[in-house]
Amino acid sequence: MSGRIAESELIINDRGAVYHINCRPEEIASTVITVGDPGRVKEVSKYFDRMDFKNEHREFVTHTGWLGKKQISCVSTGIGPDNIDIVLNELDALVNINFETRMINEQLRSLNIIRLGTSGSLQKEIGVDSFVASTHGLGLDNMINFYRTQSNDADIQLIQAFNTHTQLNSGNIAPYIFMASVQLLKHFTKNYHQGITVTCPGFYAPQGRILRLGLAYPQLIDQLTSFSFGNHRITNFEMETAAIYGLGTALGHHCLSLNAIVANRISKEFSADGGLAVDNLIKQSLEIIEKEIE
């Protein structure tokens, strides 16, 4: 796509900020941490040594500041792939579109986008309060299917094996898969489990929970837990990772998802202190980001 981007397509508010996340280009760092809960932004930024900007609009809260000599932004996304669609596109617009001319920049920039979230384990031995670094995001939502994207051969083989195993693609679901950024993932090995993270489009039936309505896919949990392909297996599921990986890869950004396990769906356990687990994830991950991520 080329040419001027119309006002209806990229909405810029009166202060020159992109509409939903309410940030101007100079208010976003090259390393961006995303969190779901707007209240978790301050739980990240309390570790900053200095604050530059605080912005807020709806569920999108952004704090940009410094951790030592490294500038970092923390942005809340809210829940689900639809919100990831907004945040990833607007972060990309902030660094790759000229807001005055409304033209795409000739020189494109790549952001480091690192999710710090919560998740449910799908393997008994990955207990509550442990951490998972997602090697892949496997999406059961349809958001990414509205974009033209390309998958590499390894991902194509992986999703074909998954479809053969689960047969989910024979119904109303079109699963997709994208890899994490290898240059980010390599720093998160010690004290992090690694595996495929499944992204669901909802919290209840899409994650196999039954309240009053029956399930269209009653074997979903067992199918996810039992899947393997070579050295790959599914470790956990949540509601954002695959969307981040899919859009991030297509837009040329480096993406990684790190999750604190607050529930184990196999052993039926829930963390006694999920807040502490998340804080431990934040502290450990920020230390690595500050020291290792360029």
Side-chain angles (χ1 to χ4, degrees):
M1 186 180 72
S2 60
R4 185 179 184 276
I5 299 171
E7 282 76 6
S8 61
E9 311 307 290
L10 175 64
I11 302 169
I12 300 172
N13 67 21
D14 291 343
R15 73 177 199 92
V18 69
Y19 177 65
H20 291 95
I21 65 174
N22 189 30
C23 290
R24 293 163 54 97
E26 66 271 19
E27 296 170 347
I28 288 293
S30 294
T31 294
V32 180
I33 293 170
T34 70
V35 296
D37 182 0
R40 196 176 298 149
V41 174
K42 68 179 184 296
E43 299 304 314
V44 174
S45 67
K46 70 183 181 183
Y47 294 110
F48 291 178
D49 299 305
R50 186 174 91 239
M51 189 75 71
D52 291 335
F53 304 104
K54 289 184 176 182
N55 300 317
E56 184 173 347
H57 181 225
R58 297 184 179 178
E59 64 264 54
F60 308 106
V61 176
T62 304
H63 291 178
T64 296
W66 293 82
L67 191 62
K69 296 181 180 179
K70 186 171 189 61
Q71 191 182 40
I72 298 174
S73 293
C74 184
V75 183
S76 62
T77 64
I79 297 177
D82 52 339
N83 276 17
I84 296 301
D85 180 60
I86 290 171
V87 173
L88 264 288
N89 275 292
E90 293 194 358
L91 286 174
D92 180 77
L94 286 167
V95 298
N96 287 319
I97 296 174
N98 185 310
F99 277 25
E100 294 184 3
T101 65
R102 292 181 165 273
M103 302 285 286
I104 297 173
N105 297 335
E106 291 186 12
Q107 188 70 35
L108 298 178
R109 288 175 54 195
S110 294
L111 297 169
N112 292 321
I113 300 173
I114 302 172
R115 164 178 154 79
L116 298 179
T118 56
S119 183
S121 171
L122 288 168
Q123 301 295 336
K124 188 172 183 179
E125 69 275 15
I126 300 178
V128 295
D129 303 329
S130 61
F131 305 148
V132 172
S134 306
T135 61
H136 298 75
L138 196 163
L140 302 183
D141 62 288
N142 282 321
M143 188 274 291
I144 202 68
N145 296 317
F146 285 87
Y147 292 93
R148 287 184 294 177
T149 61
Q150 278 191 317
S151 298
N152 61 40
D153 290 342
D155 285 352
I156 291 172
Q157 291 179 4
L158 196 49
I159 202 64
Q160 287 175 342
F162 177 79
N163 286 335
T164 298
H165 177 76
T166 64
Q167 297 295 308
L168 288 173
N169 62 320
S170 63
N172 299 316
I173 302 172
Y176 64 91
I177 195 165
F178 286 89
M179 289 179 60
S181 164
V182 174
Q183 73 177 48
L184 294 181
L185 182 65
K186 67 182 181 182
H187 299 293
F188 296 87
T189 54
K190 184 179 180 181
N191 298 325
Y192 294 84
H193 298 278
Q194 292 196 353
I196 300 170
T197 296
V198 170
T199 292
C200 303
F203 184 77
Y204 288 97
Q207 294 185 27
R209 290 182 171 92
I210 300 175
L211 297 183
R212 290 204 313 116
L213 290 177
L215 302 178
Y217 301 95
Q219 305 304 317
L220 178 64
I221 298 289
D222 290 341
Q223 289 176 327
L224 298 181
T225 300
S226 60
F227 173 72
S228 65
F229 181 72
N231 295 324
H232 301 292
R233 65 170 182 163
I234 293 168
T235 49
N236 60 314
F237 61 2
E238 40 79 277
M239 296 177 63
E240 288 82 30
T241 294
I244 293 172
Y245 284 13
L247 277 180
T249 298
L251 291 166
H253 302 295
H254 305 290
C255 299
L256 181 66
S257 179
L258 306 171
N259 285 276
I261 298 298
V262 295
N264 187 300
R265 296 297 298 281
I266 309 306
S267 64
K268 307 297 184 184
E269 295 176 279
F270 196 83
S271 173
D273 193 340
L276 179 61
V278 170
D279 189 53
N280 288 336
L281 175 68
I282 291 170
K283 288 188 291 187
Q284 182 169 309
S285 301
L286 282 179
E287 183 176 350
I288 296 170
I289 291 168
E290 179 186 7
K291 294 178 179 179
E292 305 291 342
I293 306 302
E294 296 181 358

